[in-house]
Amino acid sequence: MKSIKRRTVYKVAAGLFLLLLVTPNVGLLREKTNVIHIALMENRTINPKPEASVATKKYFQELEGWYNDRLLARKDMIIKWAMWNGRLFDVLISKNVVRGKDGFLFSPANMAHEMADKEQKLTKIKKIEQQCSKRGIRFIFMMTPNSELVLSDLFEKEYPPIDLSSAEAVTQSDFQRYGMETCFLGKDFVSLSLEARKNMYHTGDYHWTDAAGYLAAKKFLHQVGYAENIDAPVRQIKNVTKAGCYYRDAGLEIKEDERYAPWNDHFVDSFYLTDSRDKDLSHGKLTSSMGEYGQHGEDIIINPHVKNNRKVLILGDSFSGCLKKYLIQDVHMIIYSHSRDIKKDKGKIDIEYMLDRYKPDIVLFQKMEAFGYREGFEEMLGNIYVN
């Protein structure tokens, strides 16, 4: 009886050991999935099969890279490894995150300030502008700066400060060369005090706060001649947030930020919200939500209290949340579509359909600045359909 039990224990132990060996290798059949994870997490392509001569040092280095990239649950293992190193030993494992001064975290990938695939991007954006122009619609391209570009004076010495004003001057010149109107914010932002700029961004995230969204909305509204309610005196309201994609990437515990947002008690904070499935705009609801980032269809946000019929169509990204809540103070309707990330039921971003259906007065193409610079043509504009 004892020998049977011992044999059973041995078999179970051997089976578990084999399972530990085999399970990760199931990933060798999941190359396409891991390609996506590696591109998102590490900003690189997956390692190909070894090409060096067999039995050479280079061959085994290439084999190791090929094998490691195809492990099952590779993404989860990396996240957990980073988490335990970050929380137990305060060590940053992620190559995507570096420490800055005053507790800020940054990503080297988001320090980009020169445009990749420039001419291709400008040509495609010009096509959008031309479709707007044919219909008498004003088109404006806005770059919304991320934390790295505005707070580069908080970089440690291995990363040089970024001259954002000069970088934007070059990009603005490129857009002017194609005859397109822009609304760039970097020069205004970097002219502010360090304390003001720190209030405009999260400590552990590249996103801006309401303080930055307010300044961006105010500049845009003045540029287009819509600024009325936005110029009302404001007080500063304290917000406690836990935004922290860099904390998660680095495996660190997310910390709370205290940030101050401009607000006037007469600003509208509840809106009529519906989406593109609502043909006659009769199925919406009053809410303080700004929608679902236009991923399933266009979000339609209506200010029922403003005394105008202005309509602005925004092609934007996650930075638009802090922007829309202030733009809507002087606009009757915002139609919003994410410029890149969409779900299957939407399929593509059809510019001419949106222009003809909603007939906006202005189209604002808003893009997070570092993404606008570093993303390739297909990544940034591949989902947009325009003749």
Side-chain angles (χ1 to χ4, degrees), residues 24-25 27-28 34 38 42 44 46-47 60-75 77-78:
N25 292 292
L28 300 179
N34 280 13
I38 289 167
E42 302 173 36
R44 66 176 177 86
I46 195 166
N47 281 309
F60 287 107
Q61 289 173 339
E62 291 178 355
L63 179 64
E64 182 181 11
W66 174 85
Y67 176 81
N68 289 342
D69 278 359
R70 288 159 179 79
L71 291 174
L72 181 66
R74 180 184 188 281
K75 176 184 177 184
M77 288 190 286
I78 290 173

Side-chain angles (χ1 to χ4, degrees), residues 36 277 292 294-297 340-349 383:
I36 297 170
R277 294 168 292 187
E292 299 181 9
Q295 294 193 5
H296 297 275
R340 184 187 67 180
D341 298 331
I342 54 176
K343 304 298 183 184
K344 287 182 179 179
D345 51 349
K346 186 169 183 180
K348 65 181 179 181
I349 300 163
N383 281 338

Side-chain angles (χ1 to χ4, degrees), residues 363-377:
V363 170
L364 174 63
F365 193 149
Q366 170 269 314
K367 185 69 180 177
M368 189 276 245
E369 194 150 358
F371 286 0
Y373 282 129
R374 72 176 173 86
E375 286 178 350
F377 171 75

Side-chain angles (χ1 to χ4, degrees), residues 2-22:
K2 289 182 179 180
S3 62
I4 293 174
K5 286 184 178 180
R6 191 177 295 125
R7 284 200 301 271
T8 302
V9 170
Y10 288 158
K11 288 178 180 178
V12 170
L16 290 173
F17 179 71
L18 286 172
L19 187 63
L20 288 172
L21 288 177
V22 170

Side-chain angles (χ1 to χ4, degrees), residues 113-157:
H113 53 284
E114 293 182 4
M115 190 170 287
D117 297 341
K118 179 195 297 185
E119 299 305 323
Q120 279 183 287
K121 289 177 181 176
L122 290 169
T123 300
K124 181 77 172 274
I125 297 169
K126 179 63 178 177
K127 288 182 178 181
I128 301 173
E129 188 270 343
Q130 287 172 332
Q131 291 296 335
C132 292
S133 182
K134 281 171 58 176
R135 295 164 172 80
I137 298 168
R138 189 171 177 178
F139 175 85
I140 299 175
F141 186 85
M142 174 186 281
M143 294 279 242
T144 49
N146 48 293
S147 62
E148 286 82 358
L149 301 187
V150 176
L151 293 170
S152 68
D153 44 347
L154 294 182
F155 291 170
E156 294 295 353
K157 59 184 179 181

